[in-house]
Amino acid sequence: MTVEQAINVTDFISYEMNSKFTDYTYTINIYVPQGEIPQGGFPVLYVLDGSSYFNLVKEAIRLQSRNAPKTGIVPAIVVGVGHGADMHERRFYDFTAPAETYSYPARFKGNGYDKHGGAVSFSRFLQEELKPQIQQQFHINEQHQTLFGHSLAGYFVLWQLLNEKHSFQRYIAISPSIWWNEHELFHKASVFMEEHKQVNEQLFIGVGELETFMVDDGRQMANELMQVMSIEFYEALNENHASVVPTVMSRAIRFVNKY
């Protein structure tokens, strides 16, 4: 069955995709809205940790886009990028930047993973393999592409913005693990602001009130980057690291639809 035939049967497509850059096979889930293609093509929202969050994002867009003028959420293609059974270990490789040394916080009590620093290869997979395939298969708006990530994937979203800002136009980082490797992202943010006086990309950072230090990290990152770009920072009251994603998802999607 071709992609076009599959869309005629269902708005959901799933397949395995191997990357030559990461030497890893990802599960790709795709939601394509039914109905007329908008002028300029559909916006696209790429969802990291797709096995956990693809369905949540898909349903938020599918249900609320039925009344876009009221909800502020328009029909969009959703692409979930998921890992296999080794998800917990593999994401610490794919989502972390290369560095000479890696440091875990004391709260990990010496527990961690052996492999880190695969963000460059994972970024190339997204930009040079996955995105071109999506662009070939569907009518998309290449100027309205969003990257979403939570926790360590939220760290990667910020890293991608700070290193390859033009790869996406909108970024959603929920509870980003800015703490990773002794808060190295703050240094990258300082360099980013020195190099760019004003950028067109937009960023949403959401955190839960009960995430303690992650709230402070997220707010500080937002306050710094706000000097050069459009940012919304949102703290969800009484929410924790797990509950914050469904709580803020609709708000985050509304934000990226403003532009």
Side-chain angles (χ1 to χ4, degrees):
M1 178 180 292
T2 67
V3 171
E4 289 76 16
Q5 290 172 326
I7 295 174
N8 289 332
V9 176
T10 177
D11 58 5
F12 174 74
I13 305 163
S14 182
Y15 57 86
E16 303 297 305
M17 182 176 183
N18 183 261
S19 169
K20 67 180 181 181
F21 295 113
T22 66
D23 191 26
Y24 189 84
T25 300
Y26 301 93
T27 298
I28 306 301
N29 292 319
I30 307 172
Y31 161 74
V32 183
Q34 297 294 305
E36 184 178 353
I37 299 171
Q39 184 176 4
F42 284 112
V44 186
L45 203 159
Y46 289 86
V47 179
L48 304 182
D49 287 326
S51 58
S52 299
Y53 299 119
F54 170 76
N55 284 324
L56 174 66
V57 178
K58 171 180 75 73
E59 286 302 293
I61 290 178
R62 186 182 69 84
L63 293 172
Q64 296 182 69
S65 63
R66 293 174 178 175
N67 190 2
K70 185 175 181 179
T71 64
I73 293 179
V74 301
I77 292 173
V78 181
V79 181
V81 183
H83 293 90
D86 61 345
M87 176 184 72
H88 296 291
E89 179 179 3
R90 182 70 194 194
R91 62 198 300 276
F92 260 90
Y93 179 69
D94 279 345
F95 297 155
T96 56
E100 293 183 4
T101 59
Y102 299 96
S103 173
Y104 279 84
R107 64 180 181 278
F108 277 74
K109 299 179 179 179
N111 297 318
Y113 297 98
D114 295 330
K115 295 181 64 177
H116 310 95
V120 173
S121 296
F122 184 72
S123 177
R124 294 194 67 182
F125 159 65
L126 292 178
Q127 296 186 75
E128 300 180 39
E129 294 178 318
L130 179 58
K131 286 179 63 182
Q133 185 176 97
I134 298 300
Q135 291 167 4
Q136 290 174 5
Q137 292 176 336
F138 308 107
H139 298 285
I140 72 164
N141 185 341
E142 295 185 22
Q143 300 306 312
H144 197 312
Q145 300 186 80
T146 300
L147 182 64
F148 160 87
H150 169 248
S151 194
L152 197 63
Y155 162 96
F156 176 83
V157 166
L158 294 175
W159 181 88
Q160 184 72 19
L161 166 64
L162 298 174
N163 286 273
E164 298 283 347
K165 67 183 181 66
H166 292 311
S167 54
F168 299 88
Q169 293 74 48
R170 296 146 174 86
Y171 295 83
I172 299 174
I174 308 298
S175 306
S177 298
I178 298 171
W179 54 264
W180 170 250
N181 215 20
E182 299 183 345
H183 293 82
E184 64 182 9
L185 280 182
F186 283 126
H187 172 69
K188 291 184 178 293
S190 297
V191 174
F192 181 83
M193 289 186 294
E194 289 176 0
E195 295 176 345
H196 306 285
K197 299 302 181 183
Q198 188 68 38
V199 300
N200 295 323
E201 288 73 23
Q202 291 85 40
L203 170 65
F204 180 96
I205 298 179
V207 294
E209 178 190 22
L210 305 181
E211 295 187 273
T212 61
F213 65 91
M214 297 187 78
V215 178
D216 297 331
D217 287 348
R219 181 179 288 108
Q220 180 179 341
M221 181 64 73
N223 287 339
E224 291 187 8
L225 292 179
M226 199 175 292
Q227 301 175 47
V228 298
M229 64 186 301
S230 176
I231 290 181
E232 179 174 333
F233 173 80
Y234 182 70
E235 179 182 354
L237 300 182
N238 299 314
E239 303 298 342
N240 57 50
H241 194 63
S243 68
V244 66
V245 178
T247 302
V248 306
M249 181 51 63
S250 294
R251 188 184 189 102
I253 299 173
R254 287 197 302 271
F255 172 78
V256 300
N257 280 338
K258 289 179 182 178
Y259 302 91

